[in-house]
Amino acid sequence: MKTVFKNIKNSIAQSGIGFLIMCFVFVLSCSHNANAATIKDMRIGHGTGGFRLVLDADSKFDYKAFLLNEPRRLVVDVYDSQVASSVEKYHDKTGMISRIRVGTLEGGTKRIAMDLQMPVVIKKAFMLAPQSKFGWRFVVDVTVANSRDFNAKVGSRHAFETGDKVSRTPSKNKVVTKNS
Protein backbone atom coordinates (compact mmCIF):
# COMPACT_ATOMS: atom_id res chain seq x y z
CA MET A 1 0.00 0.00 0.00
CA LYS A 2 2.89 2.30 0.80
CA THR A 3 4.28 1.70 -2.70
CA VAL A 4 0.95 2.60 -4.31
CA PHE A 5 0.79 5.96 -2.49
CA LYS A 6 4.41 6.64 -3.39
CA ASN A 7 3.67 5.92 -7.06
CA ILE A 8 0.60 8.18 -6.99
CA LYS A 9 2.61 10.95 -5.30
CA ASN A 10 5.37 10.65 -7.94
CA SER A 11 2.81 10.64 -10.77
CA ILE A 12 1.17 13.80 -9.45
CA ALA A 13 4.55 15.49 -9.04
CA GLN A 14 5.62 14.48 -12.54
CA SER A 15 2.32 15.50 -14.14
CA GLY A 16 2.47 18.80 -12.25
CA ILE A 17 5.92 19.48 -13.65
CA GLY A 18 4.75 18.39 -17.10
CA PHE A 19 1.77 20.72 -16.81
CA LEU A 20 4.02 23.62 -15.82
CA ILE A 21 6.33 22.91 -18.75
CA MET A 22 3.36 22.82 -21.14
CA CYS A 23 2.11 26.15 -19.74
CA PHE A 24 5.57 27.71 -20.14
CA VAL A 25 5.83 26.53 -23.77
CA PHE A 26 2.33 27.85 -24.49
CA VAL A 27 3.14 31.28 -23.03
CA LEU A 28 6.36 31.46 -25.05
CA SER A 29 4.59 30.56 -28.28
CA CYS A 30 1.89 33.16 -27.65
CA SER A 31 4.37 35.88 -26.77
CA HIS A 32 6.24 35.31 -30.05
CA ASN A 33 3.57 37.35 -31.85
CA ALA A 34 2.43 39.36 -28.84
CA ASN A 35 4.36 42.37 -30.14
CA ALA A 36 3.22 41.85 -33.75
CA ALA A 37 1.72 44.90 -35.39
CA THR A 38 -1.73 44.76 -36.91
CA ILE A 39 -2.32 46.71 -40.09
CA LYS A 40 -5.89 47.80 -39.56
CA ASP A 41 -6.72 49.86 -42.60
CA MET A 42 -5.49 51.35 -45.84
CA ARG A 43 -6.13 54.60 -47.63
CA ILE A 44 -4.95 56.17 -50.85
CA GLY A 45 -4.80 59.86 -51.56
CA HIS A 46 -4.48 61.19 -55.09
CA GLY A 47 -1.90 63.90 -55.64
CA THR A 48 -0.50 65.74 -58.62
CA GLY A 49 1.22 63.11 -60.75
CA GLY A 50 0.90 60.27 -58.26
CA PHE A 51 -0.62 59.03 -55.04
CA ARG A 52 0.13 58.39 -51.37
CA LEU A 53 -0.58 54.97 -49.90
CA VAL A 54 -1.09 54.89 -46.13
CA LEU A 55 -1.32 51.72 -44.04
CA ASP A 56 -2.72 52.38 -40.55
CA ALA A 57 -1.27 50.12 -37.85
CA ASP A 58 -1.45 49.73 -34.10
CA SER A 59 2.35 49.68 -33.73
CA LYS A 60 5.56 50.12 -35.69
CA PHE A 61 6.58 47.29 -38.04
CA ASP A 62 9.42 46.36 -40.39
CA TYR A 63 8.67 46.60 -44.09
CA LYS A 64 10.01 46.32 -47.60
CA ALA A 65 8.29 48.22 -50.44
CA PHE A 66 9.16 47.59 -54.09
CA LEU A 67 7.80 47.21 -57.62
CA LEU A 68 7.23 44.06 -59.67
CA ASN A 69 6.11 43.62 -63.27
CA GLU A 70 3.98 41.25 -65.36
CA PRO A 71 1.54 42.48 -64.11
CA ARG A 72 2.74 45.84 -62.76
CA ARG A 73 2.52 45.76 -58.98
CA LEU A 74 3.40 47.82 -55.95
CA VAL A 75 4.38 45.31 -53.25
CA VAL A 76 4.72 45.83 -49.51
CA ASP A 77 6.16 43.00 -47.41
CA VAL A 78 5.48 43.38 -43.69
CA TYR A 79 7.35 41.37 -41.07
CA ASP A 80 5.93 40.06 -37.78
CA SER A 81 2.60 41.67 -38.58
CA GLN A 82 -1.01 40.80 -39.23
CA VAL A 83 -3.10 42.38 -41.98
CA ALA A 84 -6.81 43.00 -41.47
CA SER A 85 -9.17 41.75 -44.17
CA SER A 86 -10.31 45.35 -44.78
CA VAL A 87 -6.98 46.02 -46.53
CA GLU A 88 -7.67 43.49 -49.27
CA LYS A 89 -11.25 44.73 -49.62
CA TYR A 90 -10.20 48.36 -50.03
CA HIS A 91 -11.52 49.96 -53.23
CA ASP A 92 -9.21 52.58 -54.76
CA LYS A 93 -11.23 55.54 -55.99
CA THR A 94 -8.18 57.18 -57.60
CA GLY A 95 -8.07 54.61 -60.41
CA MET A 96 -4.37 53.91 -59.85
CA ILE A 97 -4.84 50.44 -58.31
CA SER A 98 -7.10 47.84 -59.87
CA ARG A 99 -6.77 45.01 -57.35
CA ILE A 100 -5.26 44.31 -53.92
CA ARG A 101 -4.17 40.90 -52.67
CA VAL A 102 -2.77 39.82 -49.31
CA GLY A 103 -0.79 36.62 -48.92
CA THR A 104 1.60 34.93 -46.54
CA LEU A 105 5.14 34.06 -47.57
CA GLU A 106 7.29 31.32 -46.12
CA GLY A 107 8.42 32.42 -42.67
CA GLY A 108 5.15 34.23 -41.95
CA THR A 109 5.90 37.49 -43.79
CA LYS A 110 2.73 39.12 -45.07
CA ARG A 111 2.72 40.46 -48.63
CA ILE A 112 0.34 43.14 -49.84
CA ALA A 113 0.36 43.26 -53.65
CA MET A 114 -1.43 46.06 -55.50
CA ASP A 115 -1.99 45.75 -59.25
CA LEU A 116 -1.19 49.09 -60.86
CA GLN A 117 -3.15 50.67 -63.71
CA MET A 118 -0.08 52.55 -64.95
CA PRO A 119 3.69 52.56 -64.46
CA VAL A 120 4.95 54.32 -61.33
CA VAL A 121 8.09 54.74 -59.25
CA ILE A 122 8.35 54.83 -55.46
CA LYS A 123 9.67 58.18 -54.26
CA LYS A 124 9.59 57.56 -50.50
CA ALA A 125 8.47 54.93 -47.99
CA PHE A 126 8.57 55.56 -44.26
CA MET A 127 6.87 55.07 -40.89
CA LEU A 128 5.12 57.95 -39.13
CA ALA A 129 4.83 57.83 -35.34
CA PRO A 130 1.45 58.38 -33.68
CA GLN A 131 0.31 61.98 -33.73
CA SER A 132 -2.95 63.65 -32.80
CA LYS A 133 -5.78 61.21 -33.63
CA PHE A 134 -3.61 59.01 -35.85
CA GLY A 135 -1.74 55.91 -34.73
CA TRP A 136 1.29 54.43 -36.45
CA ARG A 137 1.24 54.92 -40.23
CA PHE A 138 3.32 53.45 -43.02
CA VAL A 139 3.47 55.80 -46.00
CA VAL A 140 4.50 55.14 -49.60
CA ASP A 141 4.71 58.13 -51.95
CA VAL A 142 4.43 57.09 -55.59
CA THR A 143 4.64 59.12 -58.81
CA VAL A 144 3.45 58.22 -62.28
CA ALA A 145 6.34 57.25 -64.58
CA ASN A 146 6.97 56.06 -68.10
CA SER A 147 7.50 52.36 -68.78
CA ARG A 148 11.27 52.74 -69.06
CA ASP A 149 11.59 54.39 -65.63
CA PHE A 150 9.22 51.83 -64.09
CA ASN A 151 11.22 48.91 -65.53
CA ALA A 152 14.46 50.45 -64.24
CA LYS A 153 13.05 50.37 -60.67
CA VAL A 154 11.49 46.88 -60.72
CA GLY A 155 12.76 44.35 -58.20
CA SER A 156 13.71 44.09 -54.56
CA ARG A 157 17.18 45.56 -55.15
CA HIS A 158 15.40 48.94 -55.48
CA ALA A 159 13.31 48.39 -52.35
CA PHE A 160 12.63 50.89 -49.61
CA GLU A 161 13.07 48.95 -46.38
CA THR A 162 13.62 49.12 -42.65
CA GLY A 163 14.43 46.78 -39.79
CA ASP A 164 16.86 43.91 -39.39
CA LYS A 165 14.59 41.22 -40.84
CA VAL A 166 14.75 42.33 -44.44
CA SER A 167 17.93 40.60 -45.56
CA ARG A 168 15.75 38.04 -47.34
CA THR A 169 15.10 38.48 -51.05
CA PRO A 170 11.30 38.52 -51.42
CA SER A 171 11.36 37.30 -55.02
CA LYS A 172 12.80 33.98 -53.78
CA ASN A 173 9.98 33.52 -51.25
CA LYS A 174 6.93 31.77 -52.57
CA VAL A 175 3.41 32.51 -51.41
CA VAL A 176 2.25 29.58 -49.33
CA THR A 177 -1.21 30.71 -48.22
CA LYS A 178 -3.78 33.27 -49.17
CA ASN A 179 -5.65 35.31 -46.56
CA SER A 180 -9.37 35.78 -47.04
Side-chain angles (χ1 to χ4, degrees), residues 12 26 68 83 90 103 107 125 130-131 149 157 164 171 174-175:
I12 292 171
F26 177 74
L68 291 176
V83 180
Y90 181 84
Q131 180 181 10
D149 290 343
R157 69 182 181 278
D164 61 350
S171 59
K174 69 176 190 178
V175 174

Side-chain angles (χ1 to χ4, degrees), residues 20-36:
L20 288 175
I21 291 171
M22 286 183 357
C23 288
F24 181 72
V25 169
F26 177 74
V27 168
L28 281 179
S29 68
C30 289
S31 67
H32 172 68
N33 283 335
N35 295 327

